[in-house]
Amino acid sequence: MTRTDLATAISWAAREGWNPGDDDLDAFHAVDPDGFFIREDQDRNPVSVISAVRYGDSFGFIGFYICHPDHRGSGHGWAIWQHAMTFLDRRTIGLDGVIDQQANYAKSGFEFAHRNIRNEGISQVDTPVDPRISPLGRGLLPSLRAYDDGFFPEPRHRFLEGWASPGHPTRRGFAFVEDGTITGYGVIRKCSEGYKIGPLFAETEQAADILFRALAGQVEGQTVILDTPEPNAPALALAERYELSPSFETARMYRGNAPTLPLERIFGITTFELG
Protein backbone atom coordinates (compact mmCIF):
# COMPACT_ATOMS: atom_id res chain seq x y z
CA MET A 1 0.00 0.00 0.00
CA THR A 2 0.85 3.62 -0.41
CA ARG A 3 0.00 5.91 2.51
CA THR A 4 -3.15 6.86 0.59
CA ASP A 5 -4.07 3.18 0.34
CA LEU A 6 -3.57 2.79 4.08
CA ALA A 7 -5.93 5.70 4.64
CA THR A 8 -8.47 3.71 2.61
CA ALA A 9 -7.90 0.64 4.80
CA ILE A 10 -8.38 2.70 7.96
CA SER A 11 -11.63 4.12 6.57
CA TRP A 12 -12.83 0.57 5.83
CA ALA A 13 -11.98 -0.41 9.41
CA ALA A 14 -14.10 2.50 10.65
CA ARG A 15 -16.96 1.34 8.43
CA GLU A 16 -16.70 -2.14 9.95
CA GLY A 17 -17.12 -0.61 13.41
CA TRP A 18 -13.53 -1.21 14.52
CA ASN A 19 -13.22 2.44 15.62
CA PRO A 20 -9.64 3.30 14.57
CA GLY A 21 -7.82 6.37 15.85
CA ASP A 22 -8.14 9.68 14.04
CA ASP A 23 -4.37 9.89 13.45
CA ASP A 24 -3.23 6.26 13.37
CA LEU A 25 -1.91 6.38 9.82
CA ASP A 26 1.64 7.71 10.28
CA ALA A 27 2.39 5.71 13.44
CA PHE A 28 1.07 2.51 11.84
CA HIS A 29 2.86 3.02 8.52
CA ALA A 30 6.21 3.70 10.21
CA VAL A 31 6.28 0.25 11.84
CA ASP A 32 6.79 -1.58 8.53
CA PRO A 33 6.05 0.44 5.36
CA ASP A 34 6.28 -2.75 3.27
CA GLY A 35 3.84 -4.68 5.46
CA PHE A 36 0.51 -3.28 4.22
CA PHE A 37 -1.16 -4.78 1.16
CA ILE A 38 -4.10 -3.98 -1.09
CA ARG A 39 -5.71 -6.10 -3.82
CA GLU A 40 -7.32 -4.37 -6.79
CA ASP A 41 -9.67 -5.51 -9.50
CA GLN A 42 -8.96 -5.15 -13.21
CA ASP A 43 -10.11 -1.53 -13.08
CA ARG A 44 -7.69 -0.75 -10.22
CA ASN A 45 -10.47 -0.47 -7.66
CA PRO A 46 -9.53 -1.74 -4.16
CA VAL A 47 -11.27 -4.99 -3.25
CA SER A 48 -9.39 -6.29 -0.18
CA VAL A 49 -6.74 -5.13 2.28
CA ILE A 50 -4.51 -6.65 4.97
CA SER A 51 -1.52 -5.75 7.10
CA ALA A 52 1.30 -8.20 7.78
CA VAL A 53 3.64 -6.16 9.92
CA ARG A 54 7.11 -7.48 10.77
CA TYR A 55 8.70 -6.94 14.16
CA GLY A 56 12.38 -7.85 14.39
CA ASP A 57 13.42 -11.15 12.83
CA SER A 58 10.95 -13.55 14.41
CA PHE A 59 7.49 -12.03 14.91
CA GLY A 60 4.71 -10.66 12.73
CA PHE A 61 1.13 -9.54 13.23
CA ILE A 62 -1.92 -9.64 10.97
CA GLY A 63 -4.48 -6.84 10.95
CA PHE A 64 -6.80 -4.83 8.71
CA TYR A 65 -8.02 -8.05 7.07
CA ILE A 66 -11.05 -6.73 5.19
CA CYS A 67 -12.71 -7.54 1.90
CA HIS A 68 -14.99 -4.89 0.44
CA PRO A 69 -18.63 -5.95 0.96
CA ASP A 70 -19.29 -5.87 -2.81
CA HIS A 71 -16.56 -8.46 -3.44
CA ARG A 72 -16.98 -10.93 -0.59
CA GLY A 73 -17.24 -14.56 -1.59
CA SER A 74 -15.23 -14.01 -4.78
CA GLY A 75 -11.81 -15.14 -3.51
CA HIS A 76 -10.23 -11.73 -3.08
CA GLY A 77 -10.01 -12.08 0.70
CA TRP A 78 -8.44 -15.52 0.53
CA ALA A 79 -5.91 -14.37 -2.08
CA ILE A 80 -4.63 -11.47 0.00
CA TRP A 81 -4.60 -13.66 3.14
CA GLN A 82 -2.32 -16.15 1.40
CA HIS A 83 -0.04 -13.31 0.31
CA ALA A 84 0.25 -12.09 3.91
CA MET A 85 1.02 -15.59 5.18
CA THR A 86 3.78 -15.96 2.60
CA PHE A 87 5.17 -12.53 3.48
CA LEU A 88 5.46 -13.53 7.16
CA ASP A 89 6.69 -17.05 6.47
CA ARG A 90 9.05 -18.54 9.10
CA ARG A 91 7.87 -16.10 11.77
CA THR A 92 5.55 -16.55 14.71
CA ILE A 93 2.38 -14.72 13.67
CA GLY A 94 -0.24 -13.18 15.92
CA LEU A 95 -3.69 -11.77 15.28
CA ASP A 96 -6.75 -10.50 17.12
CA GLY A 97 -9.73 -12.05 15.38
CA VAL A 98 -13.44 -11.87 15.94
CA ILE A 99 -14.66 -14.88 17.88
CA ASP A 100 -16.74 -16.43 15.10
CA GLN A 101 -13.69 -16.56 12.80
CA GLN A 102 -11.59 -18.71 15.15
CA ALA A 103 -12.32 -21.88 13.22
CA ASN A 104 -11.23 -20.30 9.94
CA TYR A 105 -7.97 -19.05 11.45
CA ALA A 106 -7.37 -22.49 12.97
CA LYS A 107 -7.42 -23.94 9.44
CA SER A 108 -4.35 -21.79 8.75
CA GLY A 109 -2.56 -23.11 11.81
CA PHE A 110 -3.51 -20.48 14.38
CA GLU A 111 -4.17 -21.53 17.98
CA PHE A 112 -6.25 -19.70 20.57
CA ALA A 113 -4.28 -17.95 23.34
CA HIS A 114 -6.82 -15.81 25.22
CA ARG A 115 -9.67 -13.36 24.79
CA ASN A 116 -9.34 -9.58 24.76
CA ILE A 117 -12.35 -7.73 26.13
CA ARG A 118 -13.23 -4.22 24.96
CA ASN A 119 -14.70 -2.14 27.80
CA GLU A 120 -16.14 1.32 27.33
CA GLY A 121 -18.03 3.98 29.22
CA ILE A 122 -18.09 7.65 30.13
CA SER A 123 -15.01 8.99 31.90
CA GLN A 124 -16.03 10.23 35.33
CA VAL A 125 -12.58 10.70 36.85
CA ASP A 126 -10.25 13.62 37.44
CA THR A 127 -6.56 13.49 36.64
CA PRO A 128 -4.84 12.70 39.95
CA VAL A 129 -2.20 14.98 41.44
CA ASP A 130 0.67 12.55 41.90
CA PRO A 131 4.39 13.36 41.59
CA ARG A 132 5.01 9.94 40.05
CA ILE A 133 2.97 10.85 36.94
CA SER A 134 5.10 12.36 34.18
CA PRO A 135 3.98 13.40 30.67
CA LEU A 136 5.72 11.39 27.98
CA GLY A 137 8.46 13.44 26.35
CA ARG A 138 11.64 13.02 24.33
CA GLY A 139 13.70 12.80 27.51
CA LEU A 140 11.83 9.68 28.57
CA LEU A 141 11.92 7.95 25.20
CA PRO A 142 15.10 5.85 25.75
CA SER A 143 13.76 4.55 29.08
CA LEU A 144 10.31 4.04 27.55
CA ARG A 145 11.76 1.89 24.77
CA ALA A 146 13.56 -0.29 27.29
CA TYR A 147 10.44 -0.65 29.42
CA ASP A 148 8.20 -1.47 26.45
CA ASP A 149 10.61 -4.19 25.29
CA GLY A 150 9.42 -6.32 28.21
CA PHE A 151 5.84 -6.35 26.94
CA PHE A 152 6.24 -7.28 23.28
CA PRO A 153 7.85 -10.24 21.45
CA GLU A 154 10.27 -7.96 19.56
CA PRO A 155 11.31 -4.31 19.98
CA ARG A 156 8.90 -1.83 18.37
CA HIS A 157 10.93 1.35 18.73
CA ARG A 158 9.88 2.97 15.45
CA PHE A 159 6.27 2.60 16.46
CA LEU A 160 6.87 4.14 19.89
CA GLU A 161 8.61 7.16 18.42
CA GLY A 162 5.36 8.07 16.70
CA TRP A 163 2.85 6.73 19.20
CA ALA A 164 4.38 8.35 22.28
CA SER A 165 5.62 11.55 20.65
CA PRO A 166 4.97 14.65 22.79
CA GLY A 167 2.73 17.45 21.63
CA HIS A 168 0.58 15.30 19.35
CA PRO A 169 -2.84 16.91 18.78
CA THR A 170 -4.91 13.72 19.26
CA ARG A 171 -2.70 11.53 21.51
CA ARG A 172 -1.33 12.06 24.98
CA GLY A 173 0.71 9.78 27.23
CA PHE A 174 1.95 9.52 30.79
CA ALA A 175 4.63 7.46 32.49
CA PHE A 176 4.60 6.27 36.08
CA VAL A 177 8.08 6.99 37.44
CA GLU A 178 9.37 5.81 40.80
CA ASP A 179 12.90 6.63 41.99
CA GLY A 180 13.82 7.61 38.45
CA THR A 181 12.58 4.33 36.93
CA ILE A 182 9.56 3.86 34.65
CA THR A 183 7.20 1.32 36.21
CA GLY A 184 4.24 1.89 33.91
CA TYR A 185 2.93 4.01 31.06
CA GLY A 186 -0.15 4.61 28.99
CA VAL A 187 -1.40 6.53 25.96
CA ILE A 188 -4.87 7.86 25.12
CA ARG A 189 -5.91 8.80 21.59
CA LYS A 190 -8.95 10.25 19.88
CA CYS A 191 -10.85 7.75 17.73
CA SER A 192 -13.79 7.80 15.36
CA GLU A 193 -15.94 7.40 18.46
CA GLY A 194 -14.57 8.33 21.87
CA TYR A 195 -11.02 7.87 23.13
CA LYS A 196 -9.01 4.64 23.39
CA ILE A 197 -6.47 4.00 26.11
CA GLY A 198 -3.68 1.78 24.87
CA PRO A 199 -1.24 0.64 25.84
CA LEU A 200 -1.73 0.61 29.60
CA PHE A 201 1.22 -1.26 31.11
CA ALA A 202 2.08 -1.21 34.82
CA GLU A 203 4.00 -3.16 37.42
CA THR A 204 1.23 -2.91 40.02
CA GLU A 205 -2.54 -2.54 40.18
CA GLN A 206 -2.11 0.78 41.97
CA ALA A 207 0.11 2.20 39.24
CA ALA A 208 -2.35 1.02 36.57
CA ASP A 209 -5.23 2.68 38.44
CA ILE A 210 -3.38 6.00 38.75
CA LEU A 211 -2.34 5.93 35.09
CA PHE A 212 -5.88 5.11 34.00
CA ARG A 213 -7.22 8.10 35.93
CA ALA A 214 -4.47 10.35 34.54
CA LEU A 215 -5.43 9.36 31.00
CA ALA A 216 -9.22 9.19 31.34
CA GLY A 217 -9.17 12.45 33.29
CA GLN A 218 -7.94 14.20 30.14
CA VAL A 219 -11.33 13.57 28.51
CA GLU A 220 -13.73 13.66 31.47
CA GLY A 221 -17.31 13.38 30.26
CA GLN A 222 -16.31 11.63 27.03
CA THR A 223 -16.41 7.93 26.10
CA VAL A 224 -13.24 6.02 26.97
CA ILE A 225 -12.35 2.55 25.69
CA LEU A 226 -9.94 0.02 27.20
CA ASP A 227 -9.04 -3.31 25.58
CA THR A 228 -8.08 -5.71 28.36
CA PRO A 229 -6.64 -9.24 28.17
CA GLU A 230 -9.15 -11.49 29.90
CA PRO A 231 -6.52 -13.43 31.93
CA ASN A 232 -5.68 -10.19 33.80
CA ALA A 233 -8.46 -10.18 36.41
CA PRO A 234 -7.30 -6.89 38.03
CA ALA A 235 -7.53 -5.21 34.61
CA LEU A 236 -11.14 -6.33 34.24
CA ALA A 237 -11.79 -5.14 37.80
CA LEU A 238 -10.30 -1.75 36.95
CA ALA A 239 -12.68 -1.40 34.02
CA GLU A 240 -15.64 -2.39 36.19
CA ARG A 241 -14.57 -0.03 38.99
CA TYR A 242 -14.80 2.92 36.63
CA GLU A 243 -18.07 1.73 35.10
CA LEU A 244 -16.74 0.58 31.74
CA SER A 245 -18.88 -2.17 30.27
CA PRO A 246 -17.90 -4.99 27.88
CA SER A 247 -18.88 -4.13 24.32
CA PHE A 248 -16.78 -6.33 22.05
CA GLU A 249 -14.18 -9.06 22.19
CA THR A 250 -11.48 -10.65 20.08
CA ALA A 251 -9.53 -13.90 20.18
CA ARG A 252 -5.76 -13.50 20.41
CA MET A 253 -4.32 -16.33 18.34
CA TYR A 254 -0.82 -17.34 17.26
CA ARG A 255 0.70 -19.51 14.57
CA GLY A 256 4.09 -20.83 15.63
CA ASN A 257 5.67 -20.56 19.05
CA ALA A 258 3.37 -18.31 21.07
CA PRO A 259 5.34 -15.63 22.93
CA THR A 260 5.30 -15.53 26.72
CA LEU A 261 3.91 -12.12 27.61
CA PRO A 262 3.43 -10.62 31.11
CA LEU A 263 -0.37 -10.50 30.85
CA GLU A 264 -0.61 -9.73 34.59
CA ARG A 265 1.04 -6.37 33.84
CA ILE A 266 -0.87 -5.64 30.61
CA PHE A 267 -3.98 -3.70 31.64
CA GLY A 268 -4.70 -2.44 28.14
CA ILE A 269 -3.30 -3.60 24.79
CA THR A 270 -2.11 -1.04 22.26
CA THR A 271 -4.21 -1.83 19.19
CA PHE A 272 -6.05 -4.82 17.73
CA GLU A 273 -4.57 -3.87 14.34
CA LEU A 274 -0.88 -4.11 15.31
CA GLY A 275 -1.03 -6.39 18.31
Side-chain angles (χ1 to χ4, degrees):
M1 294 188 196
T2 64
R3 289 180 73 262
T4 300
D5 292 332
L6 181 53
T8 296
I10 292 173
S11 71
W12 285 13
R15 184 186 61 205
E16 294 292 323
W18 297 357
N19 197 20
D22 284 359
D23 289 308
D24 285 351
L25 192 153
D26 287 333
F28 282 9
H29 193 257
V31 176
D32 183 1
D34 296 326
F36 297 87
F37 301 102
I38 188 165
R39 182 175 173 85
E40 299 172 333
D41 64 15
Q42 60 185 7
D43 296 319
R44 302 302 300 274
N45 297 309
V47 294
S48 59
V49 294
I50 201 167
S51 62
V53 170
R54 298 167 296 184
Y55 293 99
D57 297 324
S58 63
F59 187 63
F61 203 86
I62 294 290
F64 287 111
Y65 181 35
I66 308 171
C67 187
H68 191 283
D70 293 344
H71 296 278
R72 290 174 184 173
S74 58
H76 292 297
W78 176 240
I80 205 168
W81 170 267
Q82 291 178 302
H83 180 81
M85 292 297 100
T86 300
F87 186 73
L88 295 179
D89 191 32
R90 301 182 185 277
R91 295 171 180 263
T92 293
I93 306 173
L95 60 79
D96 281 315
V98 293
I99 299 301
D100 60 5
Q101 289 296 318
Q102 282 186 62
N104 287 332
Y105 294 133
K107 293 175 183 177
S108 293
F110 285 83
E111 296 183 357
F112 176 84
H114 61 82
R115 294 196 304 164
N116 290 315
I117 309 299
R118 172 160 292 173
N119 299 279
E120 58 184 280
I122 302 299
S123 171
Q124 302 180 53
V125 299
D126 297 320
T127 298
V129 178
D130 192 307
R132 295 168 294 181
I133 294 293
S134 177
L136 293 182
R138 290 295 176 190
L140 282 175
L141 189 55
S143 298
L144 186 68
R145 289 177 185 145
Y147 183 72
D148 189 82
D149 285 350
F151 292 85
F152 208 71
E154 290 272 5
R156 51 177 187 169
H157 297 170
R158 281 186 296 179
F159 171 75
L160 285 179
E161 288 175 7
W163 202 252
S165 60
H168 193 279
T170 66
R171 281 194 299 271
R172 188 163 188 191
F174 293 99
F176 195 81
V177 183
E178 297 182 284
D179 299 324
T181 300
I182 293 178
T183 58
Y185 87 97
V187 174
I188 188 169
R189 77 192 198 276
K190 189 177 184 300
C191 295
S192 300
E193 298 179 8
Y195 294 79
K196 285 183 185 175
I197 294 174
L200 179 57
F201 299 157
E203 299 302 301
T204 66
E205 296 175 39
Q206 180 197 42
D209 186 280
I210 294 171
L211 279 168
F212 174 84
R213 287 185 284 130
L215 296 162
Q218 303 296 301
V219 294
E220 187 174 1
Q222 303 294 318
T223 297
V224 292
I225 300 153
L226 182 68
D227 296 326
T228 54
E230 188 181 42
N232 187 337
L236 299 178
L238 184 152
E240 184 176 1
R241 183 160 61 248
Y242 293 108
E243 300 184 17
L244 307 186
S245 301
S247 63
F248 181 69
E249 64 182 66
T250 66
R252 173 59 62 91
M253 305 181 75
Y254 294 104
R255 190 177 82 169
N257 297 321
T260 301
L261 301 178
L263 295 179
E264 73 282 358
R265 294 185 286 142
I266 298 176
F267 290 80
I269 70 166
T270 311
T271 73
F272 287 151
E273 294 83 12
L274 298 188

